[in-house]
């Protein structure tokens, strides 16, 4: 007997005359005898109009080969439904190996004895030849054959369609690849030429989880607008029939887990989660858990009853982890009653590529999203995600502050103190007036951005090991203190002025560097949804910024005539080192090469603003690829 199966596979029903009732796979009992349980209907006794071919008569342990099932060219009969397995020759009841690649829209793999050891149909439509990729086991040597039951219609099916012998050999065996032909057990067959699929005018069908999202299911996926195209990183679907609530979750990108949660708000914490988890052996399990806001353990399975969900089906194919399960219509978790029939809930969907430990899922590194409003789970259609306005405003403000305003303010104070001499704005030298304008703009944008992210995060939270949050907080603190220190600065020429000069210079430059580093870290944040190439845009900005500083520093050296006196113009304050330093440079007029410096500023300013504007656009329009496609009507 085969081990007890956790995954329920729907009934093997194919074209039913007049009623057009189709299924999405074989029933659990078919794992052993490959019979579809079509009431009292028995298999056909005639020679089957189908055959099975393999790409080779031998395969090494752990290697793969192609398996094709179809109809000979002389008798083109479409496939309605089927169930296909690899069986040992010496022990025909033993299923071996696993299927690693199948046509996603028409078929799916399932588990009978071991993960993914069986493949069956998903689509009710007539199908031509189907090809799969099968992987030989690493712990078996000997002969296997591929055995299938193939149905043309509900009342017409053939059992025992078999491939020729395929021998599983050791890894060091030399193999000559050739197409192995299916043998006949009763009558001669037409030449084994597989019927080609007929060209289809319709577009390729989406994965099973997407089917019905427009009219029979409530669906929610990430990123936004992914459901119509069928390319969600993670998706949850809810189908309601009476008081039976059936959930489906799917994650792409080879996740370790994909989970859905019922929440009373749009933020993670105090939610009832349902986890579809793939363990290291490839076995998929379903768990429930309770989430905690901003504190360890974040997720805890022992605080949630496990019997409120029942796993129906699971698979992992082409990097897609999928679970289908039911949940009790009424359940109590952590003293909170979850009444799916009478209450509305925010849907959450997350997925990640790792586990914190065997009992806790890891950080949602692949996908995370919450629906924008509470939903009745019995409603149908596509749910919209929560607003990201505050998050995007935070990003735009910080980019404008530290790539744009701060960069211009610092360069003016460092290199343009003896430019536009005699000209003032608001009673202050030109360089100082604009330096103060840019730095106050930096301060206002930074404080506004900080407040926005606190509102978005619902207050202060543990930064954990998030480098973006750590460097960001340090930057905000330094920025906040800068104008306070400037307000209380000692008068030039006093003994304490040197301490202010060094502190103000060090804090300002440190904040600027950390601000840009923080923006680099933001590129890798999942919520930012920035393309990876944003890093190259930022790197180009840094390179341009450094080159301009080097050119301006060399210009100052040439202007002052020596490295030592160049520091007088290079640093923001002429008394950086304290006291009066003698110099031969005339301070009553513009320093030499002021025209060249103004030219450089005319280049630096617009380019820096263009960089800042480009990154602001990436943040505001993220995800930029999807936004572009929507604008272009793709």
């Amino acid at each position: 007997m085969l081990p007890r199966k956790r995954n329920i596979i729907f009934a093997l029903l194919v074209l039913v005359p007049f009623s057009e009732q189709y299924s999405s796979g074989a029933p659990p009992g078919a794992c052993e005898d490959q019979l579809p349980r079509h009431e009292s209907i028995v298999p056909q006794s005639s020679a089957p109009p189908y055959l099975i071919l393999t790409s080779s008569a031998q395969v090494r342990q752990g290697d793969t080969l192609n398996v094709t099932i179809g109809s000979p060219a002389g008798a083109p009969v479409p496939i309605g439904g089927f169930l296909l397995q690899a069986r040992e020759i010496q022990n025909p009841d033993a299923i071996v190996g696993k299927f690693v690649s199948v046509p996603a829209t028409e078929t799916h793999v399932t588990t009978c004895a071991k993960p993914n050891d069986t493949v069956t149909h998903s689509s009710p439509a007539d199908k031509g030849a189907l090809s799969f990729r099968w992987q030989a086991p690493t712990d078996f040597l000997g002969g296997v054959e591929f055995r299938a039951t193939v149905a043309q219609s509900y009342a017409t099916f053939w059992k025992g369609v078999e491939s020729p012998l395929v021998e599983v050999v050791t890894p060091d065996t030399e193999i000559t690849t050739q197409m192995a032909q299916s043998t006949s057990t009763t009558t001669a067959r037409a030449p084994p030429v597989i019927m080609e699929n007929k060209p289809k005018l319709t577009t390729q069908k989406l994965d099973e989880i997407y089917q019905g999202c427009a009219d029979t299911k409530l669906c929610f996926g990430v990123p936004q607008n992914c459901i119509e195209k069928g390319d969600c990183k993670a998706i949850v679907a809810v189908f309601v029939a009476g008081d039976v609530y059936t959930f489906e979750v799917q994650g792409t990108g080879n996740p370790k887990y994909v989970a859905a949660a019922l929440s009373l708000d749009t933020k993670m914490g105090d939610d009832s989660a349902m986890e579809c988890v793939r363990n290291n052996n490839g076995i998929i399990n379903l768990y429930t858990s309770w989430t905690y806001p901003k504190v360890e353990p974040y997720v805890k399975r022992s605080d949630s009853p496990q019997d409120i969900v029942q796993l129906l089906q699971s698979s992992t194919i082409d990097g897609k982890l999928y679970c289908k399960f039911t949940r009790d219509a009424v359940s109590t978790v952590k003293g909170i009653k979850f009444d799916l029939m009478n209450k509305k809930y925010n849907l959450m969907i997350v997925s990640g590529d790792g586990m914190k430990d065997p009992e806790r899922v890891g950080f949602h590194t692949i996908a995370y999203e919450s629906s924008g409003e509470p939903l009745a789970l019995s409603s149908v259609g596509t749910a919209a995600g929560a607003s990201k306005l505050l998050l995007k405003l935070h990003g735009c403000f910080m980019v404008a502050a530290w790539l744009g305003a701060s960069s211009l303010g610092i360069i003016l104070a460092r290199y343009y103190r003896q430019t536009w001499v005699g000209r003032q704005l608001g009673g202050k030298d030109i360089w100082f007036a604009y330096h103060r304008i840019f730095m106050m703009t930096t301060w206002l944008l930074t404080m506004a951005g900080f407040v926005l992210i606190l509102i978005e995060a619902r207050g202060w939270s543990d930064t954990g090991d998030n480098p973006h949050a750590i460097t960001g907080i340090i930057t905000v603190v330094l920025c906040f203190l800068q104008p306070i220190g400037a307000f209380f600065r000692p008068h030039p020429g006093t003994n304490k002025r040197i301490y202010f000069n060094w502190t103000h210079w060090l804090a300002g430059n440190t904040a600027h560097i950390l601000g840009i580093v923080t923006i680099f870290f933001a590129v890798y944040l999942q919520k930012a949804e920035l393309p990876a190439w944003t890093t190259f845009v930022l790197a180009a900005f840094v390179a341009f910024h450094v080159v301009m500083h080097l050119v301006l520093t060399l210009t100052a050296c040439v202007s002052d005539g020596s490295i030592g006196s160049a520091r007088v113009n290079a640093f923001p304050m002429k008394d950086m080192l304290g006291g009066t330093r003698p110099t031969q440079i005339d301070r009553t007029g513009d320093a030499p090469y002021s025209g060249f410096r103004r030219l450089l500023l005319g280049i630096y300013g617009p380019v820096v603003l263009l960089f800042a504007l480009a990154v602001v656009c990436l943040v505001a329009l993220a995800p930029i690829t999807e936004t572009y496609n929507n604008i272009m009507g793709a």
Side-chain angles (χ1 to χ4, degrees), residues 431-575:
W431 75 268
F432 182 76
Y434 280 105
H435 166 75
R436 185 164 60 180
I437 290 172
F438 284 126
M439 300 317 292
M440 285 307 299
T441 301
T442 300
W443 191 90
L444 290 172
L445 289 172
T446 300
M447 295 305 114
F450 182 64
V451 171
L452 288 172
I453 202 62
L454 285 179
I455 296 173
E456 171 70 17
R458 295 189 302 177
W460 187 270
S461 61
D462 183 13
T463 59
D465 56 356
N466 182 358
H468 174 80
I470 295 171
T471 57
I473 290 171
I474 297 173
T475 302
V476 170
V477 171
L478 291 174
C479 179
F480 180 79
L481 295 175
Q482 277 293 82
I484 298 175
F487 181 80
F488 292 103
R489 66 184 181 276
H491 192 274
T494 61
N495 292 334
K496 295 182 179 179
R497 179 72 180 204
I498 183 176
Y499 301 110
F500 164 77
N501 290 342
W502 279 107
T503 302
H504 189 73
W505 176 85
L506 183 62
N509 283 278
T510 301
H512 186 229
I513 293 171
L514 286 178
I516 295 174
V517 169
T518 303
I519 295 172
F520 267 97
F521 287 143
V523 175
Y524 302 99
L525 293 179
Q526 182 188 102
K527 287 186 176 181
E529 297 182 298
L530 293 172
W533 50 263
T534 305
T535 302
F536 298 107
V537 177
L538 294 173
F541 163 80
V542 171
F544 173 75
H545 179 76
V546 170
V547 168
M548 292 301 291
H549 269 270
L550 291 174
V551 173
L552 284 166
T553 299
L554 291 174
T555 303
C557 293
V558 175
S559 173
D560 289 355
S562 69
I563 295 295
S565 59
R567 290 177 181 167
V568 177
N569 277 340
F571 288 121
M573 290 69 64
K574 66 180 180 181
D575 54 346

Side-chain angles (χ1 to χ4, degrees), residues 556-603:
C557 293
V558 175
S559 173
D560 289 355
S562 69
I563 295 295
S565 59
R567 290 177 181 167
V568 177
N569 277 340
F571 288 121
M573 290 69 64
K574 66 180 180 181
D575 54 346
M576 189 73 184
L577 301 177
T580 301
R581 302 185 66 213
T583 177
Q584 297 179 350
I585 295 179
D586 182 9
R587 300 299 178 185
T588 62
D590 285 2
Y593 305 106
S594 290
F596 180 65
R597 282 199 294 271
R598 285 194 292 268
L599 174 63
L600 292 178
L601 183 62
I603 297 173

Side-chain angles (χ1 to χ4, degrees), residues 6-346:
R6 300 187 56 145
N7 303 329
I8 301 177
I9 312 162
F10 291 130
L12 178 65
L13 301 175
V14 290
L15 184 62
V16 179
F18 307 111
S19 65
E20 295 188 352
Q21 297 295 315
Y22 302 96
S23 82
S24 58
C31 282
E32 300 180 30
D33 58 16
Q34 294 193 333
L35 285 174
R37 272 64 175 171
H38 288 183
E39 299 180 349
S40 59
I41 301 174
V42 297
Q44 298 293 307
S45 58
S46 61
Y50 306 103
L51 51 80
I52 302 173
L53 306 181
T54 60
S55 59
S56 175
Q58 290 182 316
V59 61
R60 300 184 187 94
Q61 290 176 314
D63 282 359
T64 61
L65 79 156
N66 292 326
V67 182
T68 302
I69 183 171
S71 173
V77 179
I79 297 173
F82 71 98
L83 182 140
L84 175 66
Q85 299 167 329
R87 300 278 187 126
E88 292 183 19
I89 295 294
Q90 298 298 325
N91 181 15
D93 291 334
I95 308 172
V96 294
K98 63 180 180 180
F99 292 90
V100 295
S101 179
V102 303
T105 59
E106 297 178 310
T107 68
H108 63 273
V109 297
T110 187
T111 297
C112 281
K114 295 181 180 179
N116 300 345
D117 61 1
T118 302
V119 61
T120 186
H121 61 281
S122 296
S123 168
D126 288 346
K127 295 170 281 293
L130 298 169
S131 293
F132 316 95
R133 196 148 189 86
W134 178 81
Q135 184 177 39
T138 58
D139 56 354
F140 171 80
L141 289 172
V144 300
E145 66 180 3
F146 291 91
R147 186 183 305 169
T149 292
V150 187
Q152 181 182 352
S153 67
Y154 183 87
T156 306
F157 64 92
W158 286 264
K159 181 178 180 293
V161 181
E162 299 174 348
S163 76
L165 170 69
V166 175
E167 185 179 8
V168 180
V169 297
T170 58
D172 57 351
T173 303
E174 185 176 349
I175 295 177
T176 302
T177 302
Q178 59 183 4
M179 182 66 77
Q181 299 179 0
S182 176
T183 59
S184 173
T185 58
T186 54
T187 60
R189 298 181 184 174
V193 179
I194 294 295
M195 178 185 70
E196 295 292 334
N197 284 313
K198 296 180 181 179
K200 297 181 180 180
L201 300 178
T202 57
T203 57
Q204 188 177 23
K205 292 187 177 181
L206 303 177
D207 291 347
E208 180 182 353
I209 193 170
Y210 297 98
Q211 298 176 19
C213 285
D215 48 23
T216 61
K217 296 178 182 177
L218 173 63
C219 298
F220 177 59
V222 56
Q224 295 186 22
N225 304 317
C226 65
I227 292 177
E228 182 178 350
K229 295 177 288 186
D231 59 355
C232 296
K233 292 182 179 179
I235 178 176
V236 55
V238 186
F239 175 76
V240 181
D243 61 352
V244 179
Y245 285 74
T246 303
F247 289 76
E248 295 174 276
V249 292
Q250 179 172 286
T252 62
N254 198 33
K256 194 73 173 178
Y257 73 90
V258 56
L262 304 177
S263 178
L264 299 177
D265 54 30
T266 60
K267 307 299 179 184
M268 186 172 291
D270 296 329
D271 315 310
S272 177
M274 299 154 284
E275 308 169 0
C276 175
V277 181
R278 173 177 55 86
N279 66 21
N280 293 332
N281 296 324
I283 299 175
I284 301 171
N285 295 313
L286 179 69
Y287 305 98
T288 66
S289 59
W290 184 255
T291 68
Y292 290 86
K294 305 178 184 179
V295 293
E296 287 284 357
Y298 298 110
V299 179
K300 197 171 182 180
R301 291 176 185 165
S302 59
D303 286 345
S304 177
Q306 300 299 313
D307 58 355
I308 62 175
V309 294
Q310 300 80 38
L311 182 63
L312 302 178
Q313 186 176 339
S314 65
S315 64
T316 173
I317 305 172
D318 295 333
K320 298 177 183 179
L321 176 61
Y322 171 83
C323 279
K324 186 174 186 177
F325 55 92
T326 59
R327 174 170 175 142
D328 293 351
V330 179
S331 58
T332 301
V333 185
K334 287 289 288 184
I336 299 177
K337 182 180 179 181
F338 286 84
D339 186 346
L340 309 189
M341 293 184 289
N342 300 311
K343 292 185 179 180
K344 296 182 178 181
Y345 297 95
N346 288 85

Side-chain angles (χ1 to χ4, degrees), residues 348-369:
M348 289 186 174
I349 182 69
V350 300
S351 68
D353 57 9
M355 304 287 291
K356 285 183 178 291
D357 55 55
E359 297 298 320
R360 291 189 302 164
V361 298
F363 188 71
H364 40 80
T365 53
I366 298 176
Y368 164 70
E369 188 65 272

